[in-house]
DNA sequence: TTGTATGCGTTATCAC
DNA sequence: GTGATAACGCATACAA
């Protein structure tokens, strides 16, 4: 019932607690005989060391704290999958918190992680986050921090992101080379860094190929109901320009793109003959809509793995008192060309 | 840099550690004046209590451990969302582990959670799990345990599931009342309890409406590549029976259903006129495929909330030494009727 | 090779 | 209203 402790084992074997401890940790300076004795009894009694006590003593927890805006999100759930697998592979476990895109919650949760004495933190910012004092505090405490996906220039730490700008550049370049000139951009809230970057990539591709930029081809879709917004923005697009006034749409997320597809299908606008559509994310749905969506593949699982790897090296460097060099990883993306372009 | 401790505060204020501790916890037997003094200094120095030490002392961690087969799954990610939100609302945090459908990992992870001294465990079984000694061990340790979604009769604990059987019964009944007689069942691996239940619901609906059961209308789709399997099973279905030999398909998951839709669309089989399709899950994609999929709405977020609530009451009952009464919650589902039926 | 003693930072009991 | 002191279970420097 009650947990077995080192003390219990020691008493039963008539040896000292420290010998038991050492035997269990396979220290060289304890005889094979006692080692066997201890191991056997521990096994028999189903002994589980109390990690909390160990943590207090050793001053590290082998826990990494992760804060993300939202778990119910194709991309983020992949990232989390990568994080958890990679952490476990290296003997770490993960405390997962979701900020629900709420700045105050993010702040509170960061404090929580400090209190929990996590060995390191993986953070993806809220859209709302504009102040960074709470994050600087993490760094003042000397807790290794790696930001991923939703990052900011205001904080000096390792970061892992996907190449939003280059990906968008590649996608729009592809559209242009296919002969499209009037290419609309459907973005989400401009606050989020990702969308800014994707928009910049769009602009740069236009510039590269000397396609004039027309700001009336830029449409905004609110986050959190991107699908419906994609749909209604597509409606506005056609109202504003007519089917002939647009060649293609580059959407900043797959969900927006799927909303557009839905509107076009409903209104007998042929994809890609009348208007081509390019998405972003390569989420599962992009392969099953019809026509199947050309999109940017965003390797979430790999992002998770990379973030953990960087964090773990920073943690070990900190433990060795070596100084750490910040890293800025850009996970390469690729274009998945399907039938919508 | 180094963490501030109670000791530090006490020294700076020239009072004892215990008074500081009490002041911080707003004990009644400490004067307002010292309380204020302590709080002010704690605030100024950004004091964060070391929860690990507190945990060791109080013998509880306010952590709940969660093991699921796979996070990258529409339904599970919703459940996790509910779990994390509800846990946090009650002052608990969540350690999340994924077993990747691997029995050995599940075993290892359960032990890990014991060592971490979690206050309670939420578990959803691997498909592989056929032995339950590792789970019984949790109970012997007196750790409250609630199973969700993938549960087993072999363990006596609280459970929260959705009504797989009744949902399937309702869906198939709906199809029959619409005039369909030749209704195929597309299931996943029969090992998983869910599919068994869904198949039973299918059978029972047939019986209820005196529709003869034809085992040649039952097709199996392997898990993990349900989409492709749905597609190829649909192909076999048509080969075996022709379009006229089938009225409708009830698929055990949305992904399978979407695979079927894809095959039918590719082969100009009209949905629902030629063959109707009913899915299971109400995942996001079910609303965006075309035709939009009729499906069973499976409230994952609510399942997460319920599981946490039950677990927390068991934890508090355990702490109060009251005896706990096991609960068996069946989260009600509802039919989402769209255009595929 | 084994044992003794001490401390990690907090909480809680019991004096004062 | 305040403080000294002893745990919680483990790890480790040092002594034996």
């Amino acid at each position: 019932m009650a947990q077995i402790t080192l003390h219990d084992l020691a008493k039963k074997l008539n040896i000292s607690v420290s010998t038991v401890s050492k035997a269990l940790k396979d220290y060289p300076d304890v005889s094979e005989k006692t080692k066997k004795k201890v191991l056997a009894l521990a096994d028999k009694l189903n002994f589980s060391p109390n990690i909390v006590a160990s943590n207090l003593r050793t001053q590290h927890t082998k826990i990494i704290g992760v804060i993300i805006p939202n778990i119910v999100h194709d991309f983020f759930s992949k990232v989390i999958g990568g994080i958890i697998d990679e952490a476990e592979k290296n003997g770490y476990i993960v405390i997962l918190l979701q900020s629900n895109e709420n700045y105050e919650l993010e702040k509170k949760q960061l404090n929580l992680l400090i209190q929990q004495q996590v060995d390191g933190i993986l953070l993806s910012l809220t859209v709302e986050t504009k102040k960074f004092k709470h994050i600087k505090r993490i760094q003042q405490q000397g807790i290794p921090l790696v930001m991923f996906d939703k990052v900011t220039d205001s904080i000096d730490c390792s970061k892992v992101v996907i190449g939003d700008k280059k990906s968008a550049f590649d996608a729009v370049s592809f559209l242009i080379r296919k002969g499209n000139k009037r290419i609309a951009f459907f973005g989400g809230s401009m606050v989020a860094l990702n969308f800014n970057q994707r928009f910049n990539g769009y602009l740069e591709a236009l510039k590269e190929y000397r396609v004039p930029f027309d700001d009336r081809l830029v449409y905004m879709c609110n986050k959190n109901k991107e699908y419906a917004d994609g749909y209604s923005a597509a409606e506005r697009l056609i109202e504003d320009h007519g089917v002939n006034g647009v060649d293609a749409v580059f959407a900043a997320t797959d969900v927006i793109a799927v909303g557009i597809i839905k509107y076009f299908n409903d209104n007998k606008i042929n994809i890609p003959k009348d208007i081509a559509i390019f998405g972003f994310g390569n989420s599962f749905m992009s392969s099953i809509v019809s026509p199947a969506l050309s999109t940017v593949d965003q390797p979430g699982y790999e992002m998770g793995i990379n973030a953990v790897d960087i964090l773990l090296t920073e943690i070990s460097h900190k433990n060795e008192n070596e100084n750490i060099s910040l890293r800025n990883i850009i996970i390469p993306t690729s274009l998945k060309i399907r039938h919508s372009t």
Side-chain angles (χ1 to χ4, degrees), chain A residues 26-40:
Chain A
D26 207 25
Y27 267 50
D29 62 345
V30 45
S31 73
E32 281 305 319
K33 213 175 95 190
T34 45
K35 244 180 221 176
K36 252 184 212 143
K37 236 175 31 184
V38 172
L39 252 29

Side-chain angles (χ1 to χ4, degrees), chain A residues 126-321:
Chain A
T126 288
V127 218
E128 293 183 358
T129 307
K130 309 254 171 32
K131 298 188 225 154
F132 303 100
K133 222 171 106 186
H134 58 305
I135 300 176
K136 295 213 172 99
R137 190 161 160 233
I138 299 294
Q139 304 189 291
Q140 283 157 14
Q141 301 270 348
I143 303 174
L145 168 73
V146 174
M147 299 188 39
F148 64 98
D149 198 51
K150 315 286 186 199
V151 305
T152 174
D153 288 339
S154 305
I155 293 290
D156 213 30
C157 69
S158 289
K159 286 156 199 166
V160 21
V161 295
I162 66 147
D164 281 303
K165 188 166 154 190
K166 176 165 185 314
S167 307
F169 177 87
D170 290 347
V172 175
S173 297
F174 174 86
L175 288 171
I176 296 173
R177 283 198 301 267
K178 272 266 190 172
N180 301 295
K181 297 269 178 236
R182 301 276 299 161
I183 302 173
F185 178 84
F186 276 38
S189 152
M190 266 321 201
V191 191
L193 200 55
N194 306 61
F195 292 112
N196 263 313
Q197 294 295 335
R198 289 171 200 181
F199 185 59
N200 286 338
Y202 163 80
L203 289 179
E204 221 157 81
L206 295 183
K207 207 159 108 194
E208 172 86 11
Y209 290 89
R210 300 177 201 290
V211 174
F213 168 61
D214 180 352
D215 64 1
R216 292 168 310 151
L217 286 173
V218 175
Y219 289 81
M220 280 309 159
C221 307
N222 234 319
K223 57 156 222 75
N224 278 345
K225 37 176 190 146
E226 292 178 342
Y227 176 67
D229 283 4
Y231 190 94
S232 62
E235 193 171 9
R236 278 185 283 128
L237 176 77
I238 299 305
E239 282 170 14
D240 294 350
H241 304 276
V243 174
N244 296 324
V246 194
D247 298 334
V249 181
F250 173 57
T253 72
D254 279 351
V255 182
I256 294 174
V258 169
I260 302 170
I261 289 180
K262 172 76 172 150
Y263 177 79
F264 285 3
N265 282 344
D266 284 357
N267 291 275
K268 307 269 176 266
I269 295 171
N270 186 286
I271 310 167
K273 239 191 330 185
D274 294 333
I275 303 178
I277 303 180
F278 214 105
F280 203 114
N282 192 25
S283 55
F284 182 68
M285 79 188 108
S286 65
S287 61
I288 60 157
V289 285
S290 106
L293 179 66
S294 293
T295 186
V296 174
D297 181 42
Q298 213 181 351
Y301 194 85
E302 284 72 20
M303 175 180 275
I305 293 195
N306 271 276
V308 169
D309 285 344
I310 295 175
L311 186 66
L312 293 188
T313 67
E314 294 199 1
I315 290 172
S316 75
H317 280 194
K318 181 194 162 195
N319 291 345
E320 313 288 333
N321 275 318

